[in-house]
Amino acid sequence: MRIDIHTHAFPDRLAQRATAGMSRILGFPCQGTGLLSDLAEDERKASIDMHVVLCCAATAGSTANVNTYALQCHKQEGTLAFGSIHPDCISWEQELDRLENGGIRGLKLHPEYQGIPIDDARFEPLFEACQGRFCVLVHTGGTRDTQALSKSSPARLLNVLRKFPRLDVVAAHFGGEGIWRFACDVLKSYRGDHLWLDTSSSTKFVPKDLLKELLSLRPFDYYLFGSDWPIYRPCEERERLVTAAGLTEPEAEDLMDHARFLLGQYGMLPQK
């Protein structure tokens, strides 16, 4: 099964504004429209069977609405969704129950957008509750000036992994967008079985030698394909990953299937 673990889509009325904002931040235009229907079409063209729409609650007050949208996405054919919890949301336990009852057992956290470091004590009750119940995909990254201090630093994520050793975590962008050398140095000390790395928004920027080092941090089946649509199209991201990492076609097909194990553990794949 080919699975894209890292995509974004927005309600129809917000998609154009959302992708325009993303394009301004990135400094180049998004390739996709941000519409869920167009995401499904781009994934179909790339022969990808399932894609995960990641929803993020940037504020406490937006948590319920974000999760309502995630539950709507999750009902669409070929689409899975991760909900989100802002740690200042007072009804976070009820939100976890609502997501779980709707078949969602994955969360997306973005410390930069949420304004709280990933190892802040405010996240701790959530992480405790998620162990064995929800997997968590976390944006990771920073700049050279902030690599150890950014809210989404891999060094902070390592603190979380050590404090919550049963928490299943997917570190986006090979564990450190923009600071991949630092991510290598930090994450090579992790020896547990609960850390996955997704490939999104990385292969265009990481030198080949460093990419090979990133791919040696974990066993190969702990790497998950992610396109970061609408920023990039999945067919082009797959081709870039194969070329940049020097993967054979069988290796590439294997990597595309890796998310099946993690999502299957949490009962998120459709039952045939």
Side-chain angles (χ1 to χ4, degrees):
M1 179 181 289
R2 288 181 169 188
I3 300 174
D4 185 345
I5 194 73
H6 193 133
T7 75
H8 309 279
F10 309 96
D12 290 1
R13 71 184 189 281
L14 301 177
Q16 184 174 7
R17 187 173 67 186
T19 53
M22 293 171 70
S23 297
R24 283 194 298 272
I25 293 170
L26 293 166
F28 57 86
C30 291
Q31 294 184 349
T33 63
L35 294 169
L36 185 62
S37 58
D38 289 342
L39 165 60
E41 178 63 14
D42 276 351
E43 298 285 15
R44 186 193 64 77
K45 290 178 179 177
S47 299
I48 291 175
D49 303 298
M50 303 292 302
H51 50 271
V52 178
V53 174
L54 303 174
C55 304
C56 182
T59 64
S62 68
T63 301
N65 287 339
V66 165
N67 289 332
T68 294
Y69 177 67
L71 288 163
Q72 292 170 353
C73 291
H74 197 66
K75 296 177 181 178
Q76 305 302 311
E77 184 177 358
T79 302
L80 305 175
F82 278 19
S84 188
I85 301 290
H86 191 284
D88 290 338
C89 175
I90 60 174
S91 60
W92 67 269
E93 291 171 297
Q94 292 95 317
E95 286 299 308
L96 284 186
D97 291 342
R98 187 161 72 104
L99 289 168
E100 187 172 30
N101 290 337
I104 294 178
R105 294 179 61 194
L107 297 180
K108 165 66 185 295
L109 302 177
H110 197 309
E112 308 300 329
Y113 288 169
Q114 295 179 306
I116 300 174
I118 195 62
D119 60 351
D120 190 282
R122 283 174 285 179
F123 274 114
E124 292 183 2
L126 176 62
F127 292 148
E128 183 63 41
C130 284
Q131 290 189 111
R133 185 183 176 194
F134 281 76
C135 56
V136 180
L137 189 147
V138 181
H139 169 86
T140 48
T143 67
R144 289 185 179 181
D145 293 335
T146 66
Q147 54 190 10
L149 300 174
S150 71
K151 295 178 178 65
S152 54
S153 170
R156 292 186 183 275
L157 182 62
L158 189 59
N159 293 336
V160 173
L161 292 166
R162 288 171 172 164
K163 193 158 191 175
F164 300 94
R166 294 183 295 109
L167 182 68
D168 285 322
V169 175
V170 180
H173 317 306
F174 277 103
E177 184 180 33
I179 50 171
W180 290 284
R181 164 51 57 198
F182 182 70
C184 277
D185 294 341
V186 169
L187 296 178
K188 66 183 179 183
S189 66
Y190 178 75
R191 295 292 182 268
D193 297 324
H194 297 274
L195 173 65
W196 285 258
L197 304 178
D198 87 26
T199 68
S200 64
S201 288
S202 298
T203 54
K204 187 176 181 180
F205 309 102
V206 182
K208 287 187 177 181
D209 288 348
L210 181 54
L211 183 58
K212 289 181 179 179
E213 191 171 344
L214 286 164
L215 281 165
S216 69
L217 288 174
R218 308 289 294 133
F220 187 58
D221 54 356
Y222 279 79
Y223 292 87
L224 313 179
F225 173 77
S227 68
D228 219 351
W229 193 95
I231 300 176
Y232 303 107
R233 288 196 169 90
C235 57
E236 295 170 8
E237 272 299 285
R238 182 186 183 278
E239 292 173 4
R240 186 157 46 229
L241 176 64
V242 169
T243 301
L247 300 180
T248 65
E249 278 302 315
E251 287 172 334
E253 286 300 302
D254 188 22
L255 191 149
M256 298 289 289
D257 183 58
H258 287 169
R260 181 160 57 97
F261 173 77
L262 179 62
L263 296 172
Q265 279 190 311
Y266 288 89
M268 287 190 62
L269 294 176
Q271 299 299 312
K272 294 184 178 179

